[in-house]
Amino acid sequence: MKSTWKLALGLASAITASTAVSNVAHAEDLTLCWAAWDPANALVELSKDFTKETGIGMKFEFVPWTNYADRFLNELNSHGKLCDLIIGDSQWIGGAAENGHYVKLNDFFDKEKISMDDFVPATVVGYSEWPKNTPNYWALPAMGDVVGWTYRKDWFSRPELQKEFKEKYGWDLAPPTTFDQLKQIAEFFQKRQIDGKTVYGASIYTERGSEGITMGAMDVLYSYGFQYENPKKPYEMEGFVNSEKSVKGLEFYKALYDCCTPPGASNSYMGEGVDAFKSGQVAMHMNFAFTWPGLQKDENVGGDKIGYFVNPKGPDGDQFAQLGGQGISVVSYSDKQESALKYIKWFANKDVQAKWWSLGGYSCLNSVVKDPKFPSSQPYAQAFLDSMAIVKDFWAEPSYAPLLQASQKRFHDYVVAGQGSAKDALDGLVKDWTQVFQDDGKM
């Protein structure tokens, strides 16, 4: 999941609203719709090979994250013909399937011998399936993503800091494996002077307007034992969403926000986090893995100065991470579905997927990520692999929007605004979500 309502990313390179691979438009040109961000640049470059092989031109409608969901959900809901292909958010899959926006791909996959067993299982469930955990496919996994962490490797390795940290906490200063360790590191660096500059412990998600604080809080709550519902009874949330473990997880997230974030961090998401890390403001930085290639190349904090680690474990040893990323779908209202399916077939090819990774996209194909050379292909490759192995995702229900709005308000009111208790927030969330599902006739 990367966007829903209005995300301010601030990371995307300058991409025009509509970009064409072919110079001359013709009847078979396909338009692919996605967000305007760095991976979109890589897809434009990659798609030149598709045009060379097929003669089918590619046009791209890339919309900034601030307008991505509004723009394309409106397009789908109005049965518009702008998009032949769309890389839609993982949370759209339920609504898009049930409302007939996407072409069901099962018969096509069978015909072309495209097997979902060839893709990372979590991405198939997260990006392709509806209902979840059933063999009903509405997208091909396209852009793998997950919340992980970067850290200032150069700061962690300083002998004087290593010595001071060991004396204070009794363990070596290193990437944390538990959330307790993460908080100790964050406290250690909070308001510390490094190279004459005041630095802070960690940048975490707190943004209120779209999905930010939900992605951040859930990233912690999962490892504390949070469950969306009773595994034996769908939509039964009492005692699961607001369990004692869930309460402790949300209390931890607030404590981390209160103790260890930089000034002005009350509405921070992906772009603000990148800015905090690149400016040398924080020791650790929560963010989606798609940000890692750009940070690795950064002249000030990249290269040997940056390191990556997987979301830590909770108190009982549970370890999960918030899923990001998207699948690519054929829009059912397109008049060029045959050509669009050719693109899907081409994109699923293992050589294309290998090039996709090399250009900066995150392939979901097993033959790419399970290649023995993959972990050493980039400094962040192993952290990406390990993170994708422990993912969970937010509701993908057709009514995910009001579900998300509720969690945004409840989490922000408690964590940032300090209203009520964690138990109050989660009890309220159960009430809100119950109302949504009752309105949907599911309870």
Side-chain angles (χ1 to χ4, degrees):
M1 178 180 189
K2 187 62 65 1
S3 88
T4 43
W5 290 113
K6 297 180 178 177
L7 302 187
L9 178 57
L11 255 186
S13 302
I15 306 176
T16 57
S18 183
T19 306
V21 168
S22 58
N23 293 325
V24 180
H26 54 84
E28 282 304 313
D29 278 354
L30 294 174
T31 297
L32 188 152
C33 297
W34 201 12
W37 59 328
D38 287 345
N41 288 327
L43 190 65
V44 171
E45 184 64 27
L46 182 72
S47 297
K48 293 177 181 178
D49 292 345
F50 174 74
T51 297
K52 289 178 183 177
E53 292 178 20
T54 65
I56 300 172
M58 292 297 298
K59 296 188 294 184
F60 299 89
E61 191 73 17
F62 294 147
V63 174
W65 282 113
T66 47
N67 306 109
Y68 167 73
D70 286 347
R71 175 69 181 88
F72 292 132
L73 288 177
N74 286 337
E75 178 71 18
L76 292 173
N77 288 330
S78 65
H79 297 187
K81 294 182 179 294
L82 169 66
C83 309
D84 302 300
L85 293 154
I86 190 166
I87 300 182
D89 187 47
S90 61
Q91 302 309 302
W92 302 358
I93 199 77
E98 293 193 8
N99 293 312
H101 298 327
Y102 293 170
V103 173
K104 190 174 183 180
L105 297 174
N106 287 59
D107 290 344
F108 171 73
F109 286 166
D110 290 343
K111 176 185 175 183
E112 299 297 340
K113 294 180 172 55
I114 297 173
S115 173
M116 289 295 96
D117 291 339
D118 292 337
F119 291 83
V120 176
T123 68
V124 176
V125 175
Y127 311 153
S128 302
E129 291 181 352
W130 188 260
K132 295 299 181 185
N133 300 305
T134 69
N136 295 280
Y137 307 119
W138 305 90
L140 183 86
M143 175 71 188
D145 207 359
V146 61
V147 175
W149 295 79
T150 58
Y151 72 100
R152 286 300 299 265
K153 190 176 181 180
D154 54 336
W155 295 356
F156 277 48
S157 64
R158 293 190 180 192
E160 69 277 14
L161 296 183
Q162 285 271 352
K163 181 175 183 295
E164 182 183 345
F165 186 88
K166 183 69 174 286
E167 290 175 350
K168 184 173 184 178
Y169 294 106
W171 58 283
D172 292 331
L173 178 57
T177 59
T178 69
F179 275 114
D180 284 344
Q181 290 181 347
L182 185 144
K183 188 168 181 285
Q184 288 178 4
I185 294 171
E187 290 171 338
F188 179 76
F189 280 103
Q190 184 72 1
K191 296 184 178 180
R192 178 173 291 274
Q193 291 290 313
I194 293 184
D195 298 333
K197 179 179 179 180
T198 302
V199 304
Y200 301 89
S203 171
I204 63 174
Y205 291 163
T206 58
E207 181 263 1
R208 169 67 177 85
S210 61
E211 65 173 14
I213 196 166
T214 298
M215 296 294 96
M218 295 312 307
D219 203 48
V220 171
L221 285 169
Y222 293 142
S223 295
Y224 269 76
F226 172 98
Q227 295 186 72
Y228 283 102
E229 57 192 342
N230 184 344
K232 299 179 180 179
K233 188 175 181 181
Y235 308 114
E236 181 179 271
M237 294 169 285
E238 183 65 39
F240 295 88
V241 168
N242 57 348
S243 68
E244 290 185 11
K245 292 181 177 181
S246 300
V247 169
K248 289 181 180 179
L250 192 55
E251 289 174 342
F252 175 90
Y253 200 71
K254 177 172 175 53
L256 186 61
Y257 169 73
D258 287 341
C259 79
C260 306
T261 53
S266 61
N267 195 40
S268 178
Y269 198 18
M270 295 178 284
E272 291 80 7
V274 166
D275 290 343
F277 193 82
K278 289 176 71 172
S279 65
Q281 200 176 18
V282 294
M284 297 179 293
H285 162 223
M286 164 192 279
N287 222 330
F288 283 102
F290 85 90
T291 63
W292 295 352
L295 290 172
Q296 181 65 37
K297 296 175 184 176
D298 187 83
E299 294 181 358
N300 297 319
V301 301
D304 294 337
K305 297 179 180 179
I306 190 173
Y308 309 88
F309 64 90
V310 181
N311 204 44
K313 296 177 183 178
D316 296 332
D318 292 333
Q319 186 175 25
F320 300 99
Q322 175 61 50
L323 181 68
Q326 305 93 24
I328 183 169
S329 300
V330 176
V331 177
S332 63
Y333 315 116
S334 167
D335 295 326
K336 305 170 186 176
Q337 292 182 22
E338 184 177 348
S339 293
L341 288 169
K342 288 181 180 179
Y343 187 92
I344 298 286
K345 178 182 177 181
W346 169 83
F347 189 72
N349 182 275
K350 65 179 182 179
D351 292 334
V352 173
Q353 286 291 305
K355 187 172 183 179
W356 176 225
W357 167 250
S358 71
L359 290 173
Y362 278 82
S363 175
C364 303
L365 192 66
N366 285 327
S367 66
V368 175
V369 301
K370 291 186 177 181
D371 187 304
K373 297 179 181 179
F374 183 85
S376 60
S377 64
Q378 294 290 351
Y380 45 80
Q382 187 64 59
F384 171 70
L385 273 183
D386 294 342
S387 297
M388 289 300 295
I390 58 171
V391 293
K392 285 193 175 186
D393 200 11
F394 189 75
W395 295 106
E397 294 280 335
S399 293
Y400 86 92
L403 297 169
L404 180 62
Q405 288 176 317
S407 62
Q408 282 291 103
K409 183 179 188 307
R410 295 292 183 180
F411 290 157
H412 199 274
D413 284 353
Y414 168 65
V415 173
V416 176
Q419 297 177 13
S421 67
K423 184 69 162 56
D424 293 336
L426 293 171
D427 286 347
L429 195 54
V430 170
K431 180 180 177 181
D432 296 339
W433 285 355
T434 297
Q435 185 63 56
V436 172
F437 290 127
Q438 286 178 343
D439 291 346
D440 287 347
K442 294 185 175 180
M443 292 185 71

